[in-house]
Amino acid sequence: MGVKSWLNRSPMRRIDELEERLRVLEQDNVELRRHNLRLAELTDVVQELLVPLASRDQEAIDAAIEKFTKSL
Amino acid sequence: MVRSQDAVLVDEDGVLLRVTEDKVVDVLVDDRRVWSFWTVRDTVCHASAEAGEEQRLAPWPRPLRRFLDGRARITVRETVSERVLFDAEVGFGSSTSPIAIVGRHGEPLSLDKDGRLSATFDVRDPSQTGPLLDAIEEVIEVLGQLGVEAFPAYGTLLGAVREGNLLGHDSDADLGYVSRETTPVDVIRESFRLQRGIGERGYRTHRYSGAAFKVEVAEGDGVVRGLDVFGGFFDDGRLYLMGEVGQEFRQEWIFPLGTCTLADRTLPAPAVPEKLLEAMYGAGWRVPDPAFKFEKDPHTQAQLNGWFRGTQVDLRRWDRLYSSRRRKLPRGRASELAMLAHRELPAEVHVLDVGTGRGRDAWFLARKGRTVTGYDYLPHAATAVIEEAAAKGLPLDVRRLNLLELRSVLGEGARAAHQTGPRAILASHMLDATYAVGRQGFMRFARMALRGGGRLYAEFWTSKTTDVRQLWPIPVAEVADLITANGGSILHATDTVRTLSSGVDVGVGRVVAQWA
């Protein structure tokens, strides 16, 4: 939307629209912040669990899984 | 009711005060502080107030009420000036015996700053707090070896700087560190690494959030004390320290670390600890306040919540629900769902009872000779069943599964998937006990554990009644959609009405699904 057409709207409507945009932006921000914990958890799983699971030694795999779940 | 010259009254309802300004006061039982409160903030206007005089009542906090049957000398005094407002013998209830506010081991208890009944430091002698101070030193040293420079934080830093000792009204110790990392994701990864490092040195740990965990330390007489480790970081001139802090802050107020004195120990401290204390407690940090409550800045809380929190939702509520019953074997019949699963599944199928709670269904299935693994947010809720199964040699174990924590779901899912033999999952009132994120976590776990073939039996409420607390109903169609989206096939789905023992009708959904 152009600035001119936006300014032509009634002040109440502009405030309503801004409030709605603010609400959406805040929600987006919350969602973005959540990626930090999720990404850290995934990275941790890859480092601590996936690499040991690539082993073909069942005992080593079981030990790695047990060590990982106990460390949480 | 007993009345003193200061028009303070103490009876079974609480402490009634004539209030002119908001001040913090201590309540002592037989000369020992058990409770502190603010005379306006923590009180209610009393109905029988006399004209021209504001009388306010501080009701006895719920954790103290159960002790109030007998006689005791009650003292009410202003914390800062130590002016005594009330001091007399008071009788409560029908007993004439002395009141003793003590724990299971006879240790004196009082309310800590969070309103919990604890063995606060003011009732501990040096032989008892020595192990905690040792642990503070040791954990700081271990954290140093792991690459972060830790120091006493929050109440422990306040005690060290203001009083040179642990705060009397505190019941745990806090450590903080400011990471050299600058983004939350790296701060979290570092905190995971630190927790592992501490755990490998033999300490039991418990994670609170992506940037904070607790280290458990046993004191001289066996009281287990929490040592909380809070992570922090600088970003663009602002300091964020897990817990409460998020504000403009200079790096040179933290680094290089200086020292502080805590009891007889010299410990590291931020370069200008006064600045950090101001960030934590406000400009009034020098004035003692045993009833301090953080005034949380909504923006900082939104940031810290978004970055680090969300994996412990309602954990305390569940803990409270189970804490008094976990040592008692669950009574009553197993769920109809467990009986159905037992009838339908071959004897060799290993049942994974997700959301086992106190372990009633797991106990039933194990006694029928099945191998059972119970999973729960709070595995210690099933303590009685675990101990009884071990004593009887039954194949039952209970493991922690936090459906809100991706690492827990993936770790336990991988473990289950790697076990040999057929498996099935029982989920009796689990899907309606968690949230959308938890249900997604559960489906991920089911998909992993049942890969290669396995059945899911789930039951949940589909309508809300006042008789069914702690649970949130969920439509059958929503559960069915989740299952099919995660690779399962619905074998059977019903939504029926069940009449509870109270006579109330409630909708109950049942879904049986198969993974190929």
Side-chain angles (χ1 to χ4, degrees), chain B residues 129-147:
Chain B
T129 52
L132 181 72
L133 293 165
D134 292 345
I136 289 173
E137 286 187 312
E138 185 174 333
V139 173
I140 287 175
E141 191 184 325
V142 172
L143 289 169
Q145 291 163 6
L146 294 167

Side-chain angles (χ1 to χ4, degrees), chain B residues 231-235 238-242 245-246 300 303-304 307:
Chain B
F233 67 105
F234 275 106
D235 183 21
R238 290 176 72 82
L239 171 70
Y240 296 96
L241 183 65
M242 194 51 186
V245 175
T300 299
Q303 287 177 299
L304 297 176
W307 289 330

Side-chain angles (χ1 to χ4, degrees), chain B residues 151-399:
Chain B
F151 47 80
Y154 292 105
T156 314
L157 182 65
L158 180 60
V161 172
R162 195 174 66 198
E163 297 167 23
N165 211 336
L166 295 163
L167 290 180
H169 57 267
D170 221 343
S171 65
D172 56 12
D174 300 325
L175 298 181
Y177 63 87
V178 178
S179 174
R180 300 290 179 173
E181 305 290 352
T182 55
T183 63
V185 63
D186 290 327
V187 173
I188 297 166
R189 291 178 54 221
E190 182 177 62
S191 179
F192 291 166
R193 183 173 63 78
L194 298 174
Q195 183 188 9
R196 276 201 186 98
I198 302 271
E200 282 165 9
R201 280 153 177 90
Y203 287 101
R204 279 172 61 99
T205 60
H206 170 80
R207 178 157 292 280
Y208 292 129
S209 71
F213 59 93
K214 176 169 77 174
V215 183
E216 289 186 1
V217 180
E219 289 191 1
D221 56 1
V223 171
V224 174
R225 194 71 80 175
L227 185 55
D228 296 341
V229 180
F230 295 101
F233 67 105
F234 275 106
D235 183 21
D236 198 24
R238 290 176 72 82
L239 171 70
Y240 296 96
L241 183 65
M242 194 51 186
E244 311 293 341
V245 175
Q247 66 174 64
E248 285 185 12
F249 209 86
R250 292 192 201 154
Q251 298 233 13
E252 60 265 32
W253 291 345
I254 298 288
F255 298 116
L257 295 189
T259 60
C260 64
T261 303
L262 190 65
D264 56 348
R265 320 288 170 105
T266 300
L267 299 172
V272 189
E274 295 81 2
K275 290 288 183 189
L276 189 57
L277 288 169
E278 197 174 324
M280 289 165 169
Y281 296 104
W285 64 269
R286 287 176 200 276
V287 181
D289 179 2
F292 181 81
K293 284 192 171 53
F294 282 106
E295 283 179 23
K296 296 175 188 286
D297 170 51
H299 179 59
T300 299
Q301 284 304 310
Q303 287 177 299
L304 297 176
N305 287 348
W307 289 330
F308 301 118
R309 294 187 175 116
T311 55
Q312 306 273 308
V313 182
D314 276 342
L315 191 67
R316 275 198 186 172
R317 183 168 67 85
W318 287 105
D319 193 31
R320 273 199 301 276
L321 189 71
Y322 286 129
S323 61
S324 61
R325 294 186 292 167
R326 65 195 175 93
R327 296 206 172 270
K328 294 176 190 155
L329 272 178
R331 286 185 178 180
R333 283 152 54 93
S335 69
E336 288 179 24
L337 188 72
M339 294 187 210
L340 171 73
H342 180 60
R343 281 198 305 273
E344 290 191 355
L345 294 169
E348 69 275 16
V349 173
H350 176 179
V351 177
L352 314 180
D353 180 23
V354 180
T356 198
R358 295 171 64 209
R360 190 184 54 166
D361 285 346
W363 178 234
F364 162 77
L365 293 166
R367 275 183 300 157
K368 295 287 181 188
R370 286 186 181 278
T371 302
V372 188
T373 302
Y375 292 92
D376 208 273
Y377 205 13
L378 279 169
H380 70 252
T383 299
V385 160
I386 296 167
E387 288 173 354
E388 197 69 12
K392 289 189 158 56
L394 296 176
L396 187 160
D397 68 336
V398 177
R399 299 178 63 85

Side-chain angles (χ1 to χ4, degrees), chain B residues 3 14 20 43 58 64 117 156 173 217 238 240 243 261 265 294 324 330 357 423 462 466 473 476 500 505:
Chain B
R3 186 178 181 118
T20 50
T43 57
L64 286 177
L117 207 53
T156 314
V217 180
R238 290 176 72 82
Y240 296 96
T261 303
R265 320 288 170 105
F294 282 106
S324 61
R423 284 179 293 278
T462 56
T466 50
V476 170
L500 301 176
D505 287 344

Side-chain angles (χ1 to χ4, degrees), chain A residues 33-34 36-45 47-49 58 61 65-69 71-72, chain B residues 184-185 188-189 192 195-196 302-303 306-308 311 399 405-408 410-412 415 418 444:
Chain A
R33 285 191 189 121
R34 280 200 199 119
N36 284 278
L37 184 53
R38 205 151 183 87
L39 181 56
E41 290 208 88
L42 281 171
T43 311
D44 197 56
V45 166
Q47 280 183 343
E48 303 293 329
L49 198 57
Q58 186 63 38
I61 290 174
I65 293 173
E66 206 57 39
K67 186 179 170 197
F68 178 75
T69 55
S71 75
L72 303 187
Chain B
V185 63
I188 297 166
R189 291 178 54 221
F192 291 166
Q195 183 188 9
R196 276 201 186 98
Q303 287 177 299
W307 289 330
F308 301 118
T311 55
R399 299 178 63 85
E405 190 181 354
L406 192 56
R407 294 190 306 159
S408 176
L410 294 177
E412 288 300 333
R415 181 181 178 275
H418 268 78
R444 194 182 298 280

